[in-house]
Amino acid sequence: MSIAERERIYERADNKGWKKWGPYLSERAWGTVREDYSPYGDAWNFVTHDMARSRAYRWGEEGIGGISDNKGHICFALAFWNHKDNILKERLFGLSGPEGNHGEDVKELYYYLDSTPTHSYMKMLYKYPQQDFPYNRLVIETMRRDRQAAEFELTDTGIFEKDEYFDIFIEYAKADQNDWLVTITAHNRSDKTAPLTLLPTIWFRNTWSWGYEQYNARPMLNGIANNQIEVNHKQLGKYKLYCEGADALLFCDNDTNTERLYGRPNVAKYPKDGINNYITSGGKKSFINPNQIGTKASAQYTRKVPPGESVSIRLRFSDQTTLAQPFADFDTIWDKRVTEADAFFANLQKNVTDPELVAIQRQAYAGMLWNKQFYYYNVNEWLKGDPKMPVPFQGRVYARNESWRHMYTANILSMPDKWEYPWFAAWDLAFHTLTLARLDPHFAKRQLAVILREYYMHPNGQIPAYEWNFGDVNPPVHAWACWKVYEIDRDLNGVGDVNFLERVFHKLLLNFTWWVNRKDVSGNNIFGGGFLGLDNIGVFDRSQPLPMGGRIEQADGTGWMAMYTLNMLRIACEISLTRPSYQDMASKFFEHFLHIASAMNNLGRQNISLWDEVDQFYYDVLHMPDNNARLLKIRSMVGLIPLFAVEILDEALLSKLPDFKRRVEWVLTNRPDLASLVSRWHEPGKGETHLLSLLRGHRMKMILKRMFDETEFLSDYGIRALSKYHEKTPYQFELNSEIFQVRYVAAESEMSMFGGNSNWRGPIWFPLNFPLIDSLLKFYQYYGDDFEVEYPTNSGQVMSLKEAAMQVTERIINIFRRDADGNIAVYGQDKKQQNDPHFQGLYLFYEYFNGDNGMGLGASHQTGWTGLIADLIEYRYKYQTQEVAIVVEK
């Protein structure tokens, strides 16, 4: 069957053609590192939300429900005014990191409802209060709360209780590659007529104000009558925005209002906040350009919306600049794109039969696709400052990312969350690609390839971590992601992209070498790593030197590296099928894995092991300055990560790789000490397969016994990051009469480590739950039904690893699914989102989830790695069999 959207996806691999335009606009540019030109790196206060409407941005742009071209030159987004607020709703409001009692937090209600991979059709919903937006109350009430209190959310203000709000649906459909149809529909949910001004806005990213001669050309917007805006841009050419039925066209310039912000005379007569000032002042014409020209423009639509009714407006942004009747074929094209979108997802979701899960999965896909962003950052230029700036550049006393001057990014990247995390984050991105590969394999592969390029990766081989500190260390998950994306692409298209594997393999090899040289401090195949993305999971801040000196050798760092070696081994084997010389690399990683496995049991032959025989669990080892060593006996996800190091090699594959097979057999024959640690190589498992893993048999059963224990790791909604055992028995470490403690905390963090905006001491996190499930399924591939576990622990129920994996999967899915009482765990006690008919079928994909009740926590739109729910729903149908009961007994 020919599916139009699928054909568009495969027209080209880059972000051009049908992908040239998309939802590439950020939702927050203020408070970011890139816009921070303060001497001491005070990003949150250098450009604040209050300043944002008046200051031109240097590196990106922001808007509500916005789109742009793939280099962010021309931007379009929506602004609103409820005739009560003293500012336009041009950007989403939220608290900065220092303001929030649990770090930065968006204080709005909006939902991504739909999108195709090429963005030929997109839909989102923004809920806009009709009363004064409670900006001050949100700030003041949060200031009263400490870290032990929950966050104060917009729904907690009661502003939605009387239904005095608009549901504003923003929809796009492409008529062609450079031709957008736009519909904005506002529903009045109250029982009173309410005024609303809609301001669809188009503008240019400011490239002309910073003193660079090659960018000094100023583009132009020009109004024609009250219904057309002519767009002229040197690089992109001519476009036109057709505005059906607009009341007026308003123009100003995307230049900083230096008078308002800094008390300095304005260069631009009608600066960036001109349209805001015009509307909120009641129409003072001195704020807008009477000649209807500028670099920022809005079409004004002021309407009175009767109770329970709606108003709708239509626009068209097109490179066809001479359309006599731009809306004549609007409805026909629109219906066609919606039909094509439905056909694409019907095919993609053909295995999912539960309508509720279909809806959850499709919105997860939508969130993944809406969270694309044009990410622009030239670190060298940023560190030096620009030739011209709104205020004189004072230099940088604290030069963040000083050692990353080579880094120059100008790409469409998948963001963790375009408001709370609208910046580059490497390990997040690796997880994103798995879900994105099901939608658009080209885009997923490009994401992985680009962050390994020389203008991202450090010359020493380190992959940049995240914008606030590129030099921090994230888990080495990228080889795993590359292999998973390869498999998904192969399953979808029937053939694997070996060229992609070979391309990334060489760059991954550089990164692997960096890990071995930098994070294996003692050269004993045991790894530190530090932070590794798990924020406050340990007793100390693992990204900083220890307060007593010494070092930590980490079970998670070593587990990740064991996984890394197996990922590289598997990739090398696959490439070797067509490029036999890669068998040497397969042998190298096979042997390296064996040495890591050996070292985990005997650190540098010191008779110290990361495995504790008493507790039957993996722990970190603390090496004190006096050379004494002790286990840090914290039962956390750190001790489960060694499960990730598992790979299956079958005889059919080995028979095609004779050099590799011969080397493997030589090592296993001549080093029986290493062979015995890993697997019984000469005892093939199910289907003539061989197991490579850090765990097997008794140890694996002991790990799983603890992981499947509902009094420890197993929650009703997945696997907790920290054992619930530590709720009543906190881990304590005494140092110089001070007690450092790790206690189970199911929800938000009670401490400020890493800003306190995430917590790894109890909640459920998708980026580690997913690899756990994936690893269990790999173990099942080897053991089959012969290896049984008790699930849950102490329940008396015995099942295979596959059945247990599917039971955990089901619990995670239950975060979003209505239970027998009609409640959805993710929304907790929020009755409005639980029960209101205008909130039904709307899903928020949070950053992480309460370890006891499944309520959403952290960033509310982090569909990035929480988008893995789409993959888990796919797994549910792929792996379920008649003997697997997809039911969670309560």
Side-chain angles (χ1 to χ4, degrees), residues 1-5 338-348 362:
M1 178 178 64
S2 174
I3 298 174
E5 177 62 15
V338 172
T339 300
E340 290 170 350
D342 290 341
F344 173 79
F345 282 107
N347 181 66
L348 186 66
R362 185 159 173 176

Side-chain angles (χ1 to χ4, degrees), residues 340-596:
E340 290 170 350
D342 290 341
F344 173 79
F345 282 107
N347 181 66
L348 186 66
Q349 298 178 285
K350 58 182 178 292
N351 297 324
V352 183
T353 57
D354 184 334
E356 185 178 22
L357 297 187
V358 169
I360 294 167
Q361 189 182 51
R362 185 159 173 176
Q363 279 192 45
Y365 284 142
M368 291 297 307
L369 294 166
W370 271 92
N371 267 335
K372 294 180 183 180
Q373 179 184 317
F374 171 65
Y375 183 79
Y376 181 38
Y377 191 13
N378 181 329
V379 177
N380 187 48
E381 274 188 4
W382 177 82
L383 284 167
K384 292 188 298 184
D386 299 309
K388 290 183 181 179
M389 302 191 71
V391 289
F393 181 52
Q394 301 297 315
R396 300 183 187 277
V397 177
Y398 170 57
R400 192 188 302 276
N401 296 320
E402 168 68 33
S403 64
W404 292 80
R405 287 181 177 269
H406 72 283
M407 194 163 174
Y408 184 175
T409 71
N411 301 98
I412 302 300
L413 296 180
S414 176
M415 292 293 113
D417 177 309
K418 289 203 295 187
W419 195 95
E420 297 197 32
Y421 299 98
W423 31 259
F424 177 84
W427 89 297
D428 300 65
L429 182 59
F431 290 104
H432 302 182
T433 59
L434 272 66
T435 308
L436 288 167
R438 297 185 185 279
L439 297 158
D440 182 353
H442 282 320
F443 182 75
K445 288 184 287 186
R446 188 176 176 83
Q447 293 289 284
L448 290 166
V450 77
I451 64 173
L452 297 172
R453 288 180 182 172
E454 60 279 4
Y455 46 90
Y456 279 70
M457 180 184 280
H458 198 280
N460 65 19
Q462 185 178 9
I463 293 173
Y466 50 94
E467 181 174 286
W468 290 85
N469 185 1
F470 288 133
D472 218 331
V473 185
N474 282 167
V477 294
H478 296 83
W480 174 79
C482 288
W483 177 251
K484 295 294 292 183
V485 166
Y486 173 84
E487 285 187 308
I488 293 167
D489 182 29
R490 183 184 61 193
D491 291 347
L492 285 172
N493 297 300
V495 59
D497 187 352
V498 178
N499 288 332
F500 162 71
L501 283 185
E502 189 173 23
R503 180 182 182 189
V504 296
F505 184 85
H506 293 283
K507 297 298 183 69
L508 290 167
L509 186 59
L510 294 174
N511 179 245
F512 184 89
T513 304
W514 176 87
W515 270 91
V516 171
N517 290 337
R518 296 296 183 94
K519 295 304 175 181
D520 179 7
V521 175
S522 301
N524 62 2
N525 292 300
I526 295 295
F527 293 83
F531 168 50
L532 290 183
L534 307 185
D535 293 16
N536 63 345
I537 202 164
V539 66
F540 306 112
D541 184 341
R542 301 193 305 172
S543 69
Q544 300 296 326
L546 297 176
M548 79 295 287
R551 71 183 191 279
I552 294 176
E553 292 183 314
Q554 297 172 211
D556 58 334
T558 308
W560 285 121
M561 283 302 289
M563 183 187 84
Y564 201 167
T565 60
L566 292 180
N567 299 148
M568 294 294 279
L569 164 61
R570 189 64 188 85
I571 292 172
C573 286
E574 190 74 7
I575 301 173
S576 295
L577 294 174
T578 50
R579 282 85 152 170
S581 61
Y582 278 81
Q583 291 178 83
D584 290 344
M585 296 309 300
S587 299
K588 176 262 183 295
F589 284 107
F590 173 77
E591 293 188 43
H592 204 133
F593 171 73
L594 295 183
H595 289 297
I596 292 174

Side-chain angles (χ1 to χ4, degrees), residues 779-792:
F779 279 115
Y780 177 80
Q781 182 184 343
Y782 176 77
Y783 286 113
D785 293 327
D786 295 335
F787 190 106
E788 294 184 318
V789 293
E790 186 182 26
Y791 178 95

Side-chain angles (χ1 to χ4, degrees), residues 532-824:
L532 290 183
L534 307 185
D535 293 16
N536 63 345
I537 202 164
V539 66
F540 306 112
D541 184 341
R542 301 193 305 172
S543 69
Q544 300 296 326
L546 297 176
M548 79 295 287
R551 71 183 191 279
I552 294 176
E553 292 183 314
Q554 297 172 211
D556 58 334
T558 308
W560 285 121
M561 283 302 289
M563 183 187 84
Y564 201 167
T565 60
L566 292 180
N567 299 148
M568 294 294 279
L569 164 61
R570 189 64 188 85
I571 292 172
C573 286
E574 190 74 7
I575 301 173
S576 295
L577 294 174
T578 50
R579 282 85 152 170
S581 61
Y582 278 81
Q583 291 178 83
D584 290 344
M585 296 309 300
S587 299
K588 176 262 183 295
F589 284 107
F590 173 77
E591 293 188 43
H592 204 133
F593 171 73
L594 295 183
H595 289 297
I596 292 174
S598 175
M600 286 190 76
N601 287 298
N602 187 355
L603 305 188
R605 300 180 181 177
Q606 301 173 51
N607 295 317
I608 304 168
S609 175
L610 296 178
W611 176 262
D612 182 58
E613 286 292 347
V614 176
D615 289 355
Q616 299 284 291
F617 200 70
Y618 281 112
Y619 296 121
D620 290 345
V621 173
L622 172 62
H623 292 267
M624 301 292 283
D626 61 5
N627 292 323
N628 286 323
R630 60 184 285 190
L631 292 171
L632 297 173
K633 292 194 174 186
I634 305 168
R635 299 180 191 174
S636 76
M637 187 66 77
V638 164
L640 301 181
I641 285 172
L643 281 167
F644 297 171
V646 54
E647 188 53 71
I648 310 297
L649 299 178
D650 60 48
E651 281 294 322
L653 175 65
L654 291 171
S655 66
K656 298 174 183 177
L657 306 174
D659 294 342
F660 172 59
K661 183 178 182 180
R662 185 167 52 252
R663 178 63 181 170
V664 166
E665 291 177 345
W666 186 94
V667 171
L668 294 177
T669 300
N670 289 275
R671 289 295 304 271
D673 56 322
L674 297 180
S676 64
L677 286 168
V678 190
S679 66
R680 296 177 180 84
W681 186 265
H682 297 294
E683 295 179 17
K686 179 187 175 190
E688 294 297 298
T689 61
H690 300 285
L691 175 70
L692 291 172
S693 68
L694 290 178
L695 286 156
R696 70 176 197 280
H698 173 73
R699 284 192 179 182
M700 190 165 79
K701 287 202 173 186
M702 291 299 99
I703 287 275
L704 296 180
K705 181 178 181 180
R706 204 176 289 284
M707 189 172 86
F708 293 148
D709 190 334
E710 293 179 308
T711 68
E712 293 217 33
F713 286 99
L714 183 61
S715 160
D716 289 344
Y717 302 98
I719 305 299
R720 301 177 174 106
L722 186 74
S723 170
K724 199 173 173 67
Y725 165 81
H726 290 304
E727 185 173 38
K728 295 180 179 178
T729 312
Y731 176 82
Q732 295 185 334
F733 185 96
E734 184 175 353
L735 177 66
N736 299 328
S737 300
E738 183 180 358
I739 300 295
F740 293 83
Q741 178 173 282
V742 174
R743 184 174 69 85
Y744 174 82
V745 178
E748 291 99 341
S749 177
E750 295 179 347
M751 62 190 305
S752 60
M753 193 184 294
F754 281 89
N757 61 349
S758 65
N759 180 29
W760 286 84
R761 295 187 175 180
I764 295 148
W765 290 79
F766 274 56
L768 294 192
N769 269 258
F770 185 87
L772 279 173
I773 291 167
D774 200 54
S775 296
L776 291 177
L777 292 170
K778 271 194 175 180
F779 279 115
Y780 177 80
Q781 182 184 343
Y782 176 77
Y783 286 113
D785 293 327
D786 295 335
F787 190 106
E788 294 184 318
V789 293
E790 186 182 26
Y791 178 95
T793 301
N794 299 321
S795 69
Q797 300 180 65
V798 177
M799 59 183 66
S800 71
L801 291 172
K802 180 173 72 171
E803 291 171 313
M806 288 301 96
Q807 293 289 356
V808 175
T809 298
E810 200 68 16
R811 291 185 182 226
I812 298 172
I813 291 172
N814 282 343
I815 292 172
F816 300 100
R817 187 163 42 189
R818 288 198 178 275
D819 62 21
D821 297 323
N823 295 318
I824 303 177

